[in-house]
Amino acid sequence: MSTTRIPFVDLQAQYRPIRDEIRQALDRVLDSTNFILGEEVARFERDFAEYLGAKHCVALNSGTSALHLALIALGVKEGDEVITTPHSFIAPAEAISYTGARPVFVDIETATFNLDISKIRAAITRKTKAIMPVHLYGQPVDMVRLMEVAREYCVPVIEDAAQAHGAECLIKGDRWKKVGTFGDIGCFSFYPTKNLGACGEGGAVVTDSQIIFEKIRTLRNHGQKDRRYYHPFIGYNYRMTAFQGAVLGVKLKRLDAWVAARRSRAALYDEGLRDLPLKIPKRAENLRGAYHQYVVRTEDREGLMKYLGERGIETGVYYPLPIPLQDAYRHMGYKKGDFPSAETCAKECLSLPIYPELAESDIRYVCSGIRDWARSK
Ligand SMILES: Cc1ncc(COP(=O)(O)O)c(C=O)c1O
């Protein structure tokens, strides 16, 4: 057994250099005794919208709430259909189910782990009320291509960018645009391990639509619009706490540098894993990932995981079973073989450690571990 330990995530390493600033921000909230929404959250909303290049942001208590309110704001309800991916954390499918609508799963591309855009047209019916792509692992869906399909059928798009703060797609010329700002609504999670993580739960929606913005702002606060204790419709308690707004404000200033550090670490992995019997993430000229995760594929996933584990390298499997094959969705009647690419990825994907503070020497150690594993086979 090795004495080296490379954790899969290391939030301590992120916290150490910003400890004082975080504590000052938390103190500010304590001193204000203004614990819910308020100026800390409003400031973060302005800053996050500006960071992304969106007109509006509504801060919420989780990414799941963001997806849920986005669907309600678009009027999605029982009997409707929403197209989404079978290979993801379950939240997007759950949010669709909360509304009574039916998730329609379209298989992914194994090379990108994301929705296969060429298969979306065939899944659109008169009942389709939205398309919900997920920028999984921080790898952007090609939103320029996806929006062409959505516009052709006049179907609104909700982007699940929970894992993709800072990921970008190339639009005209040399202009890059951040994911979450292509569709009608972009949804983000600030779960602590995300590229931008709170010290607790958090989420947000962004939109350019004044109408959607006002609707979601009202929905997050029990349906109260202009006057307190007057409720034009039934809403939710999905508000962000001031502590999270304050913490996120501190971290947002570092997000660009953190995303750049993730990219440079991903490039080191690309280089170190080249020519191995292992599929590494696809890079496209027009997409810039945010590398929430660095995910490789191999048929001997369990063997590689064990081999690296014995060398003190933590890895993870995101996600081991496609959503339609989960017991939670058994009632929909899907069976093995319905989503060949998602099933392959669920069997073969392995996430390696990646975070801004991960040392280059650690990446070299992981790569040499993988080289040794390949040689030992
Ligand atoms: C792709 C994706 N969508 C949605 C969510 C839900 O976010 P939250 O945990 O903040 O509710 C997550 C969180 O893990 C996620 O990874």
Side-chain angles (χ1 to χ4, degrees), residues 107-279:
D107 206 2
I108 58 168
E109 293 175 320
T110 49
T112 64
F113 301 101
N114 279 331
L115 265 181
D116 186 339
I117 296 170
S118 71
K119 296 202 168 105
I120 291 179
R121 275 190 184 82
I124 294 178
T125 71
R126 287 218 317 274
K127 292 184 184 170
T128 309
K129 290 292 150 52
I131 304 173
M132 188 180 270
V134 177
H135 305 287
L136 200 69
Y137 311 138
Q139 163 118 324
V141 172
D142 186 336
M143 287 308 296
V144 173
R145 272 182 62 217
L146 187 138
M147 291 308 293
E148 270 170 26
V149 178
R151 288 205 184 101
E152 192 182 321
Y153 292 86
C154 297
V155 181
V157 172
I158 299 169
E159 289 175 73
D160 181 339
Q163 302 188 1
H165 322 66
E168 298 160 301
C169 301
L170 185 64
I171 54 173
K172 284 178 220 99
D174 57 357
R175 265 193 65 213
W176 293 85
K177 188 169 158 65
K178 295 219 167 50
V179 303
T181 64
F182 285 86
D184 299 76
I185 307 176
C187 298
F188 290 84
S189 164
F190 305 121
Y191 185 80
T193 54
K194 296 287 195 269
N195 286 15
L196 178 63
C199 292
E201 304 275 3
V205 294
V206 296
T207 182
D208 282 349
S209 156
Q210 181 75 24
I211 292 170
I212 291 172
F213 166 61
E214 282 174 14
K215 181 106 207 223
I216 292 182
R217 209 160 55 142
T218 306
L219 281 167
R220 84 167 159 190
N221 197 9
H222 296 285
Q224 298 171 102
K225 198 167 177 224
D226 307 318
R227 285 192 296 167
R228 234 178 153 187
Y229 307 125
Y230 287 83
H231 307 262
F233 47 81
I234 292 171
Y236 299 82
N237 176 359
Y238 283 176
R239 298 174 299 229
M240 177 177 274
T241 66
F243 283 124
Q244 304 313 335
V247 164
L248 289 165
V250 171
K251 292 196 182 185
L252 180 59
K253 289 184 274 178
R254 274 104 179 159
L255 183 57
D256 267 339
W258 285 342
V259 170
R262 285 177 180 274
R263 284 182 182 146
S264 67
R265 277 144 189 80
L268 287 174
Y269 272 131
D270 284 353
E271 184 59 33
L273 301 177
R274 225 173 347 136
D275 310 324
L276 288 179
L278 186 82
K279 295 181 188 81

Side-chain angles (χ1 to χ4, degrees), residues 8 278 296 298 300-318 347-352 370 373:
F8 184 65
L278 186 82
V296 298
T298 165
D300 184 23
R301 194 248 318 273
E302 309 310 321
L304 176 57
M305 209 175 171
K306 183 163 176 288
Y307 195 93
L308 295 179
E310 282 161 2
R311 279 148 191 81
I313 301 163
E314 284 179 12
T315 54
V317 173
Y318 299 81
K347 260 193 237 121
E348 298 185 353
C349 64
L350 187 68
S351 300
L352 306 179
I370 297 176
W373 162 81

Side-chain angles (χ1 to χ4, degrees), residues 342-359:
E343 290 168 47
T344 300
C345 289
K347 260 193 237 121
E348 298 185 353
C349 64
L350 187 68
S351 300
L352 306 179
I354 189 163
Y355 33 93
E357 303 78 14
L358 185 65

